Amino acid sequence: MKKIHIKTWGCQMNEYDSSIILKVLKKNFNCKETNHVEKSDLIILNTCSIREKAQEKLFHQLGRWKNLKKKKKIIIAVGGCVAVQEKKNIYKRAPFVDIVFGPKTIHRLPKMIHLIKNNTKNIIDIRAKKLKKFKFFQKKSIPQIISYISIMEGCDKCCSFCIVPKTRGREISRTPEEIYLESKFLSKNGTKEIILLGQNVNSYKGKFNNGKICKLSKLIKIISKIKKIKRIRFTTSHPIEFTKDLIQTYKKIPKLVSYLHLPVQSGSDKILKIMKRSYTILQYKKIIKKLKLIRPNIQITSDFIIGFPGETKKDFQKTIKLIKKIKFDMSFSFIYSPRPGTIASKLKDKINLKEKKKRLYILQKKINKNTLFWSKKMVGTYQDVLVEKYIYKKNKKKLYGKTQNNRIVIFKGPKSLIGKIVFIKIYKAYLYKLKGNLKKKYVKNG
């Protein structure tokens, strides 16, 4: 076990899980990560089941690795949501795979590897009641300006289109003490911005050591007290749990950025009901209205599913109307594709692909128009920019950072500004990025 190769698909939570996998294996085998799959002793594929035909993507990738087993003694492991979804089917179609593990059993990987070395075949270990994997959070030696922390696992909402409750299980929250310690460690190693992760992050209910419940609003307050942490974000939220205390957090905690990703999925109450989203468009708009009263400049992004079974042209127009009303800044928008084992996969889909593509094009064009509108509105303004790194543009060094509302800003400045929040005057706007100049007294804080 000298070298390992980890390939990660999907969301930031999968990226975070992969960092834990690396930590667990380094601790137990003193191994190194390699980008060269042919040089590795262990290959891990950390999968995601959100997109269409995720399982086919998995088997295509495994097919490309099949010949490696013939050339050298190598262990192949499949983890993540597709591993939980497919289980024994992985061995039926790819019998050369050694290990199938789930998002909650990462901490047991060393034991699985030892069993394989002792000639145990086809291990499946995908279930766990506790979140022991988080004991191995990645302690990064390389300074990282922005760091992610998974604060919970699973989802209890059971939306009709979503497979997450089946693959990641019921909601389990980490303790606030554990999250605070990880945040504190990261802050000492250069992190200035913490992004809190969860499949349904605003349903977080961690237990203090004394047994009392800690909600997301309280957790944000706790982390905000870490002096070196300058910004806090969280994703992804569910509207039904965007409660009064969380809305008030935007008033009480200045470190909580003026940006929110709040998936709505559709602008039609009829479609939301079929999706089992448990809120109405009126309720959604009330949340946004309350937030904008507290933070007038807050930018809202969202998710949209296009062509969901039963979506008429009238339902789609309601989605477009909502986009115009809220003026969403950006979005993740996709054509609906059925996930195996979900309620929606049994619904009759009468919308042809051509129509779905047409609706998606109209929606994305409207969202892009909004994105450009908000970008241009920032021209001439001064923005707080957290400087992340150097980039190279036409052989010239430039700095790269992000505003509170998640806009990329490119500007000239000294390397010493990396990790600091600076004042930038915006002079040019593109669709997803801005260009600016440093203000004379430019450093806000360290």
Side-chain angles (χ1 to χ4, degrees):
M1 285 293 296
K2 291 179 181 178
K3 291 183 179 180
I4 57 172
H5 175 80
I6 304 173
K7 190 174 186 68
T8 309
W9 292 336
C11 63
Q12 294 102 331
M13 290 194 74
N14 263 22
E15 294 286 349
Y16 186 84
D17 280 353
S18 289
S19 75
I20 297 175
I21 290 170
L22 188 60
K23 173 69 178 175
V24 169
L25 296 178
K26 279 184 175 181
K27 183 178 179 180
N28 284 270
F29 298 104
N30 194 28
C31 51
K32 291 182 179 179
E33 188 179 20
T34 177
N35 291 323
H36 303 286
V37 66
E38 67 281 355
K39 293 180 180 179
S40 59
D41 303 296
L42 168 65
I43 307 173
I44 294 175
L45 181 55
N46 192 9
T47 62
C48 174
S49 60
I50 295 298
R51 298 295 182 88
E52 187 179 8
K53 297 179 180 177
Q55 62 272 34
E56 292 308 312
K57 185 181 177 183
L58 162 66
F59 293 116
H60 286 155
Q61 181 62 65
L62 290 175
R64 289 190 283 271
W65 288 345
K66 185 178 180 180
N67 290 332
L68 289 170
K69 289 280 255 187
K70 296 176 182 177
K71 294 177 183 178
K72 61 181 288 190
K73 196 173 183 180
I74 193 169
I75 296 172
I76 298 177
V78 178
C81 292
V82 182
V84 178
Q85 178 187 312
E86 294 297 307
K87 304 181 193 73
K88 291 180 180 179
N89 194 40
I90 292 173
Y91 293 126
K92 287 178 183 177
R93 294 184 59 177
F96 54 89
V97 170
D98 299 290
I99 296 167
V100 174
F101 67 98
K104 291 180 181 177
T105 59
I106 287 168
H107 59 287
R108 297 205 286 256
L109 263 175
K111 184 180 178 181
M112 297 179 220
I113 291 165
H114 282 303
L115 288 170
I116 292 297
K117 285 187 170 186
N118 289 315
N119 296 318
T120 303
K121 304 291 183 184
N122 301 143
I123 294 170
I124 298 178
D125 189 352
I126 58 174
R127 301 294 179 196
K129 291 181 179 180
K130 294 182 179 180
L131 295 181
K132 289 186 179 180
K133 70 176 182 181
F134 292 116
K135 302 292 181 185
F136 298 89
F137 69 80
Q138 177 72 353
K139 295 183 177 181
K140 297 178 178 68
S141 56
I142 300 170
Q144 194 135 334
I145 307 302
I146 297 174
S147 292
Y148 294 95
I149 299 179
S150 283
I151 65 170
M152 62 180 299
E153 184 88 21
C155 182
D156 292 348
K157 291 294 171 288
C158 297
C159 300
S160 66
F161 56 83
C162 186
I163 199 169
V164 166
K166 289 181 179 290
T167 57
R168 293 239 176 199
R170 301 295 298 269
E171 291 172 359
I172 308 175
S173 297
R174 297 173 68 187
T175 68
E177 289 92 348
E178 191 179 87
I179 296 164
Y180 176 80
L181 286 174
E182 185 171 351
S183 303
K184 189 80 172 174
F185 175 86
L186 290 168
S187 74
K188 288 177 180 177
N189 282 268
T191 292
K192 303 295 181 182
E193 180 176 317
I194 294 285
I195 303 177
L196 304 173
L197 301 175
Q199 272 85 19
N200 184 16
V201 72
N202 53 334
S203 70
Y204 172 81
K205 292 178 183 66
K207 279 189 179 181
F208 285 106
N209 290 337
N210 62 11
K212 289 185 178 179
I213 296 296
C214 176
K215 295 178 74 176
L216 179 61
S217 55
K218 179 69 174 176
L219 182 67
I220 291 168
K221 186 179 179 180
I222 291 167
I223 295 171
S224 72
K225 290 178 181 177
I226 301 172
K227 192 175 180 181
K228 290 183 179 179
I229 299 298
K230 305 300 177 182
R231 287 183 179 176
I232 303 168
R233 299 178 194 265
F234 58 89
T235 192
T236 293
S237 299
H238 194 295
I240 200 68
E241 301 226 38
F242 220 91
T243 48
K244 185 179 178 182
D245 61 295
L246 188 54
I247 292 169
Q248 286 301 308
T249 306
Y250 283 87
K251 188 175 184 179
K252 297 172 183 176
I253 311 294
K255 288 184 179 182
L256 184 58
V257 297
S258 294
Y259 169 87
L260 172 66
H261 184 73
L262 189 61
V264 65
Q265 307 299 359
S266 172
S268 164
D269 285 339
K270 183 193 88 178
I271 297 301
L272 289 178
K273 191 174 181 180
I274 301 170
M275 289 179 170
K276 295 189 178 296
R277 292 290 287 173
S278 305
Y279 56 85
T280 65
I281 292 304
L282 180 60
Q283 288 171 319
Y284 185 92
K285 288 194 286 191
K286 281 182 178 178
I287 293 167
I288 305 302
K289 186 178 179 181
K290 287 173 185 176
L291 283 167
K292 289 195 171 183
L293 284 172
I294 294 169
R295 297 271 187 102
N297 296 321
I298 193 168
Q299 296 294 100
I300 310 296
T301 63
S302 196
D303 291 350
F304 295 94
I305 296 174
I306 306 304
F308 191 80
E311 182 190 79
T312 62
K313 288 182 180 180
K314 188 177 179 180
D315 293 318
F316 176 69
Q317 284 306 315
K318 286 180 179 179
T319 299
I320 297 299
K321 186 179 177 182
L322 181 69
I323 290 168
K324 289 178 181 177
K325 175 70 177 176
I326 304 293
K327 244 183 169 50
F328 290 104
D329 186 8
M330 297 180 194
S331 77
F332 293 105
S333 47
F334 310 99
I335 289 172
Y336 168 75
S337 60
R339 301 270 61 82
T342 59
I343 297 168
S345 66
K346 298 173 184 176
L347 298 174
K348 287 186 179 179
D349 187 357
K350 296 179 181 179
I351 312 164
N352 63 60
L353 186 58
K354 185 179 178 181
E355 177 62 23
K356 288 179 182 180
K357 286 181 176 179
K358 181 184 173 183
R359 291 179 192 180
L360 182 66
Y361 173 78
I362 292 167
L363 183 142
Q364 290 182 337
K365 188 177 179 181
K366 180 61 188 170
I367 292 286
N368 285 343
K369 189 176 178 182
N370 287 352
T371 304
L372 193 58
F373 168 82
W374 289 117
S375 290
K376 286 182 175 180
K377 203 171 181 183
M378 294 171 76
V379 173
T381 65
Y382 285 98
Q383 296 291 326
D384 293 352
V385 175
L386 175 57
V387 188
E388 293 181 43
K389 60 184 178 182
Y390 254 133
I391 59 169
Y392 294 87
K393 279 270 190 182
K394 295 179 181 177
N395 297 321
K396 290 181 181 178
K397 285 184 177 180
K398 291 190 177 181
L399 288 167
Y400 167 107
K402 284 182 184 172
T403 61
Q404 276 225 7
N405 62 350
N406 215 32
R407 275 294 187 286
I408 293 167
V409 180
I410 310 297
F411 64 98
K412 292 179 182 178
K415 190 177 180 180
S416 59
L417 294 181
I418 294 174
K420 291 182 167 57
I421 293 176
V422 299
F423 292 116
I424 302 291
K425 187 174 184 180
I426 307 302
Y427 69 83
K428 195 165 187 178
Y430 299 92
L431 188 61
Y432 298 116
K433 66 180 181 180
L434 308 165
K435 286 187 177 180
N437 292 317
L438 277 168
K439 191 179 177 183
K440 287 182 180 179
K441 291 183 179 180
Y442 49 75
V443 179
K444 182 180 178 182
N445 53 42

